[in-house]
Amino acid sequence: MHQCRTCLGQTPDGHFCVRCGAPLARAQALTHARHRREFAAAPDERRYAPWLVSTLFPRLPRHSERHFYGALLGGAGGVAVLAALRLFPVALIVAAGVMPCVTILYFRDIDVYEGEPAWALGWTVGWGALAGIGVGLLAKVLAPTGSALIDRGSTAHVVTGGLLLPALGVLLALVGPLVLLRYRKFDDVLDGACFGAASAAALAGAEAIVVGIDVLGGGLRPPGAAAPWVERLLGLSLAYPVLAMAAVGAAQAAVWLRSRGRAVDRRALGPAGEPAIALALALLLVVAGAVGETFMASGTWLASLVTLDLIALVVLRRALHVGLMQEADERELGPEAECVNCGAMTVTHTFCGDCGVSLRALSKAALRSGRTRLIESVCALATVVAIGVVVGTLGTGSEPKASCTSGSLCGNPPVFSRVAFAFPGDTVWASTGLGYSLRYPNAGWKVANSDPDDVTLESIDGSVLVVNALRSSKSTPAELIKVKLSRLRGQLLGFTRDTNAADQLLGTDVGLVPGPGVVYVGTISTPQGPQETVNVVVLAATAGGISIAVTLITADSLGGQSPLANQADDIIDAIDFPAR
Ligand SMILES: [Zn+2]
Ligand SMILES: [Zn+2]
């Protein structure tokens, strides 16, 4: 027994003061034990080292962390393999389920004997899931349509998807757990942070599934390039949820510290402990993560998310550390007991004298064996995969059959090829720059924007037909198509050639002038997740001194039965090149 130089209390011989947690071997006394280098919830890690599991799941003893790393890596690996096999709908469900699933395992693990917070878990995860469904439905209502489909810089993508919806998500994830602030048994900063993180994880998962519901209907193995999908779904399964969890957890920790902490400790976090500032920081981190999706390639975005993850984890870790290193109680030393973290016998007070863990960070639960936990993780992940397979399979519509025998887009042959006048119910649009014209049916189509050379038409169901023209001396049809495809590649996820037999073109022309044509497929991706797979047809032809490229983007099928494809085909066939 000797005197600790930091808190001046009596503590048994060991590595750490059991009252304040200060390391006893240090030559100089700390001004406050919270300045020690060891993280209070995991003393063998540095205070500000952004380790994932000890920060997001701080109540775990160190030796069981590897099971959680295993579960997270297993989940992410599974997502990557499923996406690489192009089983996108299954991979999407698994990606959305990994983090909520591991969070539930964590809650179950730390409370298996006490059993008390089953309802607290139910409330936070249930609230998060419901809020996620709500935000997801809102995202679908506000989803980009028309020409915004292929413009990731549009307001619908950047302001709505990158800013408003993520901010709403953060606020909702924070509000739900506030109910638990009333209960004395949840008065630790750790509790607040965990509830906030759990609610954020459930919210992100539920939101991604609701937003991606149309991807689930596109067949078990829809077309698409695998590599961008792998990157996008790794972001969806781990990188984005971790960011949301850490940011919301840190903001929630500040709220808890402010309302449940002891008066002396309320200022220990500095400005970051001010709930308004903590909330602003959480919003900034999450919005910065989300908005990046609207202008970065999937791989770059994943890297930017990981960077933000590290920052958010450090912020959360700091809050947890300060919360756990609150002033020592003025109570007597208790009897010796085994430390759940390191297994050594320690006098019970506030910290373990041997490893220095805050005893408040440990669940009082007796630990289950690693084998039990491993079996549980495997079962939980298998369940998520099974749900993904079932939903992915059920969602598979029957593949459309190729039903056309002639015509460019499987449409009906046009009645007139060269149209100089409007049919009743049709509107003529004429290029003042290059002298070509086209007509489109008023019912169902409108001009979204136009300039002297180009025009963008939008259909009532959100499909887009873009007509671009150039003097034929400037570009051949093949070059026009190439330029068009390279622009679209940056706008759609997994953009690749469509090999679906039903979508193939049987002879391609523009205004009945033959020319090259291609069918591609890609997925509209928003910060909330992959949203909908669209078909892209690009046709081009040269006549009368100009080259025209027509791009049709539609979520509808291109088969002969599709009224949209027929209408688009009529518009394309009726394009009137200038007379020489
Ligand atoms: Zn001390
Ligand atoms: Zn210990």
Side-chain angles (χ1 to χ4, degrees), residues 3-9 11 16-22 24 33 328:
Q3 194 186 35
C4 165
R5 282 170 303 169
T6 299
C7 68
L8 307 178
T11 180
F16 294 88
C17 169
V18 295
R19 294 175 183 271
C20 75
L24 298 175

Side-chain angles (χ1 to χ4, degrees), residues 43 338-346 351-357 359 362:
E338 190 184 328
C339 168
V340 179
N341 186 51
C342 68
M345 295 303 284
T346 178
F351 296 90
C352 168
D354 200 60
C355 71
V357 72
L359 299 182
L362 298 176

Side-chain angles (χ1 to χ4, degrees), residues 30 67 128 137 143 183 205 211-212 248 283 295 333 352 392 405 472 486 503 560:
L30 296 165
H67 301 122
L137 290 174
Y183 297 90
V211 165
V248 171
L283 287 172
F295 62 90
L333 299 177
C352 168
T405 49
S472 50
S486 76
D503 294 336

Side-chain angles (χ1 to χ4, degrees), residues 434 468-473 475-477 480 541-543 545-549 577:
L434 294 165
N468 301 106
L470 274 177
R471 298 225 168 271
S472 50
S473 55
S475 181
T476 66
L480 267 181
T542 288
I546 64 168
S547 295
I548 294 182
F577 284 89

